[in-house]
């Protein structure tokens, strides 16, 4: 699974009208106007981007996200409730927050676990665990999304198949991706490497 990792491509400043602005290259070679996190947030606050529109910003490019199915939503709700109840006080969890990895990249993990009181200014190496619950986006989350997290130093990522409840655990990030990757089936108790005192077994979700 560890293929060559490429973090978001750096922008090139090229003439755009009467001034230079950053651009990216689309797959067909056409230039695209590159955006920063601050610019996208400003457009959202101004109503240019609809508040309910789901997307991520990867290397300055706005990536629309698929709608979420019922399997995804039920599992996200159950995991959020379990963590709210059982995480030790030293840790907090937040669902679907805008997680800024750099000035031109943000993602929205389904769940993000971080040290209590440290949400503001949180970057990749500061996060203790990200969880992606995947249905229609499973290949994307196991491939590009996991490599993106590794490139930005997120130390542990779980990708959960919403239908089978198989969990792919990614640990030990590096420039070529995560160095340790394993699959855990239903019935195995999961313990985040950096979150002491918390464990979860998805078999409990099946009987909830």
């Amino acid at each position: 699974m560890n293929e060559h990792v490429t973090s978001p491509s750096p922008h090139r400043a090229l003439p755009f009208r009467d001034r230079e602005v950053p651009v990216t290259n689309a797959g067909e070679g056409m230039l695209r106007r590159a955006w920063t996190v601050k610019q996208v947030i400003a457009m959202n606050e101004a109503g240019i981007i609809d508040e309910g529109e789901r997307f991520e910003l990867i290397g300055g490019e706005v990536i629309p996200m698929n709608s979420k199915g019922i399997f995804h939503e039920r599992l996200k709700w159950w995991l959020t409730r379990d963590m709210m109840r059982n995480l030790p006080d030293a840790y907090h969890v937040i669902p679907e927050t805008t997680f800024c990895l750099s000035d031109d990249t943000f993602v929205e993990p389904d769940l993000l676990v971080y040290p209590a009181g440290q949400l503001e200014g949180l970057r990749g190496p500061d996060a203790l665990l990200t969880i992606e619950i995947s249905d229609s986006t499973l290949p994307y989350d196991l491939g590009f999304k996991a490599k993106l997290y590794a490139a930005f130093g997120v130390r542990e990522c779980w990708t959960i198949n919403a239908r089978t409840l198989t969990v792919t655990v990614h640990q030990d990030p590096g420039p070529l991706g995560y160095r340790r990757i394993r699959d855990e089936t239903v019935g195995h108790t999961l313990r985040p490497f950096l979150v002491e005192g918390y464990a979860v077994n998805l078999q409990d979700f099946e009987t909830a």
Side-chain angles (χ1 to χ4, degrees):
M1 188 179 295
N2 282 352
E3 301 172 358
H4 179 67
V5 171
T6 56
S7 57
S9 301
H11 296 153
R12 293 182 297 147
L14 294 178
F16 186 78
R17 295 186 179 176
D18 59 347
R19 61 191 178 94
E20 288 190 346
V21 297
V23 297
T24 63
N25 273 322
E28 77 281 7
M30 297 293 290
L31 296 180
R32 296 288 190 269
R33 175 37 160 114
W35 304 101
T36 66
V37 172
K38 288 183 178 179
Q39 288 170 334
V40 171
I41 290 175
M43 286 190 288
N44 185 262
E45 292 174 346
I48 298 171
I49 298 176
D50 187 88
E51 186 174 346
E53 187 176 347
R54 296 189 59 249
F55 61 90
E56 295 180 330
L57 185 70
I58 309 296
E61 295 185 343
V62 175
I63 310 297
M65 304 305 294
N66 292 338
S67 59
K68 299 175 181 179
I70 189 62
F71 295 105
H72 177 285
E73 294 299 88
R74 286 180 60 237
L75 181 54
K76 183 183 68 177
W77 173 84
W78 183 87
L79 269 174
T80 302
R81 186 182 64 169
D82 185 81
M83 287 187 163
M84 289 288 190
R85 290 176 173 177
N86 298 315
L87 273 176
D89 292 340
Y91 312 107
H92 285 173
V93 60
I94 187 169
E96 294 186 343
T97 188
T98 298
F99 182 24
C100 293
L101 298 173
S102 69
D103 292 341
D104 66 0
T105 298
F106 70 74
V107 293
E108 292 192 351
D110 288 300
L111 292 167
L112 171 64
V113 181
Y114 59 96
Q118 296 186 26
L119 183 59
E120 185 175 356
L122 195 73
R123 294 289 180 153
D126 306 316
L128 302 177
L129 173 67
T130 61
I131 298 178
E132 297 288 348
I133 301 170
S134 304
D135 193 344
S136 60
T137 62
L138 186 61
Y140 173 80
D141 289 335
L142 284 174
F144 180 82
K145 192 75 168 285
K147 293 177 183 178
L148 184 73
Y149 280 136
F152 282 103
V154 175
R155 289 180 284 177
E156 183 167 5
C157 171
W158 294 355
T159 304
I160 304 176
N161 186 319
R163 294 182 179 271
T164 67
L165 300 185
T166 298
V167 181
T168 301
V169 177
H170 303 82
Q171 295 175 329
D172 192 12
L176 299 181
Y178 284 98
R179 299 182 183 94
R180 289 187 290 156
I181 301 172
R182 70 180 190 275
D183 290 330
E184 302 289 359
T185 57
V186 176
H188 180 85
T189 298
L190 299 162
R191 294 181 173 85
F193 179 67
L194 297 171
V195 182
E196 296 182 5
Y198 177 75
V200 64
N201 192 318
L202 295 185
Q203 191 167 15
D204 295 334
F205 168 71
E206 288 194 313
T207 60

